[in-house]
Amino acid sequence: MLGKVLKNFDIRTFWRDVRFLKWAGQVLFLILFAYSLVLFVQTGINNLQSTNIPFSFDFLGDTPGVSIAEGFETLPDSGLRMLHVGMFNMIRIMIGGIIVATIFGTLLGIARLSSNWIVEKAATALLEVVRNVPLLVQILFFQAFLLAFPRLEERDRGEIMFHVSSKGIAYPWPERQESAFMFFGFLLLTIYLARRVFKWRVSLLEKEGRDTNPFLWSFLTFLVLTFGNWAGGYKLMGIIGLISGYISTIFDSIPSIAYQALFSVIAVFFAFRYIRKQIRNTDTGEIRGILSDDDYFRIILSGVVAVFVVLLMFMPFGQNITYFLEGDELFYKSNWGMPQFFDGVAKRFDFNISGPPVIMSYPEIVQAGTTKFTRYSPDLGKVTTVGYFATWFGVTLYTAIFISEVVRSGIMAISKGQSEAGLSLGLRRRSLLRLIILPQAFRVMLPPMGNQYLNLAKNTSLGVAVAYPEVVAVGQTLYNQEGQTLPVFLVWMIFYCSISLSISSIINYYNRKMKIVER
Amino acid sequence: MSKKAIVSLLVLSMVAVACATDTAEEEVAVEEEHDHSDESTLEMVLERGFVKCGVSGSATAFSETGADGSITGFDADYCYAVAAALFGDYSKVEFKSLTSAERFTSLAAGDIDVLIRNTTWTQSRDTELGNDFGPTTYFDGQQLMGRNSDGISSSSTLADIDGLSVCTNAGTTTEKNITEGAGLVGATITLVTVEKFSEAMDKFIAGECDIVTTDGSALVGRRAVNDALNDWSIFPQSPISKEPLGPVYRSNDSMWGDVINWVVYATIIADEYGVTSANVDSVDTDALPELGRLFGANDGELQTVMGLSADAFYNVIKQVGNYDEIYSRNLNPVGLFREGGANDRWTNGGLIYAPPAR
Amino acid sequence: MIRDSKFFIENPYGRWIRDNLFSSSSSAFLTFFAGFMVIYSYRGIVGFILNPERMWTSVTYNMKLYMILAYPDEAMIRVWLSVGLALILGGLSIGFYNSGKTISLGGIFQKLFTISAVIALLIALAPTNTNVIQNDGSIEVVEIIPQDVRMLILGPSLVLTLAFFFLRNIKIKNLFNTAKVNLTYFGLIIASLYFIKIPTISLDSSGERIIPDPFLPIASTTYIPWTILYIGMLLFFFIGSLLKNRDIKIMARLIPISWFLCPLFIFSWIFKKPLVELNTVFSADIPSILVFGIIGFLIIRFSDNQSIGVYRTPINIGFLVLSIVVFLLPLVFIFKATMVLLLLLLVVSPAIATTKEGKRQLFIVWVVSLFVLTFLIRGASSDTMLVTPTGSIFGGFSLTWLLAIFGTYASFPLGLALALGRTSTLPVIRIICTGIIEIVRSVPYITWLFFASVMLTVFLPAGVEFNLIIRVLILTAFFSGAYFAEYIRGGLQSIPKGQYEAANAIGMNPFQRIFLVIVPQALRTIIPTLVGSVITSFKDSSLVAIIGLFDILRIGTSVIPAQSQPVVFIGRNLEQLVFLSFFFWVFTFVFSRRSMKFEKRLGLGER
């Protein structure tokens, strides 16, 4: 075949071959791009060297010596730990924000289509105000709003139900107990079982044509199992703990070279299979044997990736990965690794744990230290601090407003015929909305909604303006202490990229699932 | 015809590129002329005709931006003093307002010639970051402030803040100082770190924070402004940290460093002799030979060796004033006074001291 | 039931209330709930604003600082010229695009009735007392609106409401043009600058504050310029109307182009006062115009030449390579920019320069755009002659505008390039563009700003320095470019495949297909989205406050609360926040409303 190619080779036609030109152009572009990138990075490294602060990640292991306002640890002993707290704080706000913004945004969207004059006008006014003011100004404003409440010292000490002061908002909260993980593990199982029962009854209904009460059945299943769960059924989940314990030992006992070899073999194997698939796919039908540009590209890329993975595995980076899997090395003062993770799971899912999974706990105002000061007890109830509230409320409201626009346009995109058809079937307005309009509108709404979630995740970074210690604020504190701006920036970048990727992959998954099967 | 057209097009584009390269080379050459990496900052500044001074731009009484955009304050006055010494005209300053995170990068990159932005002199900043510090112009120290009605008094100690929430401003050494200080006495605190001190004060006044901590000067000033002398107490008596504030310049540049240092010393020496901008013209330089040397009465050799004009320091005092004037003009309105503090004259028990001019 | 009473059935107002507020029990509940919330928040806001703790003079005294920071006083005329240019252009377009919609006198009174009724209602609902926190932490209740004051305002507004209520049924045939009515309203606002007086901080000759503050007109120093600008705007409104009546077609093209160029012109020449050296003009600008003019002439002249047409692709590719080379060489910026323009000419000329008339017109357009481009770049790349204490002439609101406008202008071509790259069939380019877009988009803007402020200098070769504003502009262009790319990609995907095939069928090359067929259609579909993103970048520009640029937000939250001389404004940041929210709100609200109307009128976004 090669000889045939060479025989037909003609330099003049070759020069005018579009395929050659395309590839030549791309390779040229790639070289230029890579060259400028390398130049950029090289300059950066050189310049850093000359500013006496060489690029290094060592600050992750150093003790920052600065305490942070809130989070699961307020006096972290390493930079990594500190960033960890910041990330956790950011995710906390993001999840709370997404849930509330979705609910509130949907309500607002429906309110804007309401026939009630004052509701419609109030919703529109809210939209026009929130949409047209920078989020940063709004967040600063909500902080001022909460700070305008009276001081906590104005109120007597003792137990309270719900209280707002300039120190934050305190409210009752179901406190997680030892058995909570097992309980919620069992709950997930219960939900899955109830769903299976529902499907089974529905299929029975479709087969036999009689009313099989699928909803009632599944609800009863759920109720019975949950009751059993609460009464101690969760102990069943101890099996997970048992298995985790074994997994932990397995991870612990495999030597690191085995991992390196394993990953290399896997990478080469998959690359080989992928390339074979590409070639075989084109080996059928009319276009037999002709590979398109994209096919060539995929083949080359997969080969390169495989080689890269193999190389990486035997470099320090690969070594670090195996350390992580083995759980042997201390990772910047943190005892991270797979065995540690499974050990943790095993500890939480233990047959010996008993007692209720959650206990309602009420906030209390207690004396602080030895002085006249008071504060909300840190262990009882739940306290939302000013920074948290301002950031959370700001991003939630801002996102909710945009979600309401998405919802409104989604509902309006459903043709009027749909609701008329529903009404003529005798559905009530509420059922019409629930059964016909919203499910269809949801499909239209999902992609823009995903964008709004992404925006919300990114906007949490404005917490830095109201002293909420999320990952940007914490990172800033870190580089103010250590001077390592570039590594901190890389950490931010990796963190936000992975958050964005996870959100968009979840949205894409649902999008694919919800898509109309086009015929 | 067609071939001719192509050829002429190509030739033309070559000409265009050639012309452009020529002019570009000229521009590059001009740029190279401005590359002064080996030159002393002093020559560079004198050649440029104005001094670039890094300040905060939003630090009350030290360098604040007025309603007309002009920059005034204690630090800003020292920038003016440097300009007066160099050019005989105090207004030859270009201020750069910097955040605390970017100040040293700016200085290292040559964005500014001198940094006078209430910067604490520390070992790591002096050595590791490649800076040199001039004489301290203001001795500060971190303190805490709380309400009398909450049981705080000026005799309170760090142990009393156990369990309290404390507000401070970020980007400086304050967060670290208070964390370390509280750790030493075994007090656990909730540290709320905000970007700016004014925000920390908002949180303190509203009650989100029980205690606010930062440099003592800011606390005293703010207490005076809020008219809360009897309501708020500043403690502990001796600050929990030393914060000597002064000018900063790039290391290994002693020509330039000498100019900055001696501008500061000149204001201090003038203050020792009680020479102000009002009476500097009537000083009897024969009776006070040190002042004579300083103001260039006798050919001003000391100044000309430094690369300045003979009357450089005369101009500083004449146009900007002595240390006391600079201090009282800027810091007295916010309730900061020299008497009895660390910033008093050394003859009165303070720390403001200058080597002799001879 | 009350709902079925006579009032709610027969009276038209009663019927409206019944249908719109109490149509069902849940609706009635919502009415009360929403009404309570609205009134509660309104009373809270008023209590906050009128609290004696607030010191609103800190806002008014620093108004100039807010707008232009340290722009030199002797060059103030340039600021007014900038604003004036925008207003005059506004007047011209209002006059030219006047839809001829009319409103009757009754309609005007109807509007006035609504306004005065709302005012009366707001005054009636305003709170009497508010809380003040003392230094020791205790709370004091203070009266902010005494009953007699309330009555004093409520009375006249009620009288006015009643008067307008009856006047709105007036039967006068006269109809008024809405544009003229709106201009009159604007005139009333200008006139109010003379009449409304507020306490103003004034300093006597020795720099001491005069206490109590004397009452001066609301814009005591600027009402004369405003009046002049307003008169200019009126003048150009009538010129615009005249042009419209004369039916001058070219204005329809010129006005949008002027709007496009106006900010560039303002920023590079009027506001900046560039220091132009004749030396550089003669050595760079004039040669550039001459050389590129001749090249352009040749391209236009020979664009339909058959014997050259064969070599079109090599010529195009040759120019592409040449432009890349020009970009990499250390050339004056004018050559680089003009090279891009030349590429564009190369693409469009075969389609337009087919007749003699077409060639002539294209050549005129080419020369004019060469001159405009050179002129603007000369202004933008020269140093300024203005001297400010901080060395930067942009600050405050002018910086906000600079960031918003430049962010949009610079990010647009970048976004277009990225979008085309992402939809390209060439895998390497597609993957690189996708990577850039996704990475830039998934990291928050504020993180990029930190990158610009503390890290970008590290990555630049030694000797190359940009000041912070330029660094932020570069990063902003990238950030909004990535966003634009996604919008444009959406537009590109909405173009039916038939368009590509048709372009191929008539023998267009890929450049022509993209720039003459696909991109114009794609841009048309996404104009509404683009307007939205301009508003977003206007709002986002406030984030630069966090990294220490003196934009309007930083002045409000950190500069003014630090002022101790001549008047102590220390800690006055809540006032600034309220003012800034209102200020941003007015601008974005008006802007979005205007653009919506404009879109509708032009029929953009509809296909």
Side-chain angles (χ1 to χ4, degrees), chain A residues 179-198:
Chain A
S179 57
F181 281 97
M182 293 167 89
F183 179 81
F184 285 109
F186 198 89
L187 199 67
L188 285 181
L189 192 73
T190 311
I191 291 169
Y192 174 73
L193 284 177
R195 220 178 122 79
R196 287 309 296 265
V197 167
F198 185 81

Side-chain angles (χ1 to χ4, degrees), chain C residues 519-577:
Chain C
V519 168
Q521 294 187 64
L523 292 186
R524 197 181 161 78
T525 59
I526 56 161
I527 281 180
T529 339
L530 287 184
V531 171
S533 74
V534 172
I535 295 175
T536 313
S537 57
F538 180 72
K539 283 187 293 171
D540 274 356
S541 67
S542 63
L543 294 191
V544 298
I546 296 183
I547 58 157
L549 273 186
F550 282 78
D551 83 320
I552 190 164
L553 183 62
R554 187 168 158 88
I555 291 174
T557 53
S558 113
V559 171
I560 296 175
Q563 286 177 344
S564 68
Q565 286 168 341
V567 185
V568 177
F569 290 137
I570 296 174
R572 299 282 162 201
N573 50 3
L574 290 180
E575 292 88 341
Q576 321 304 326
L577 271 183

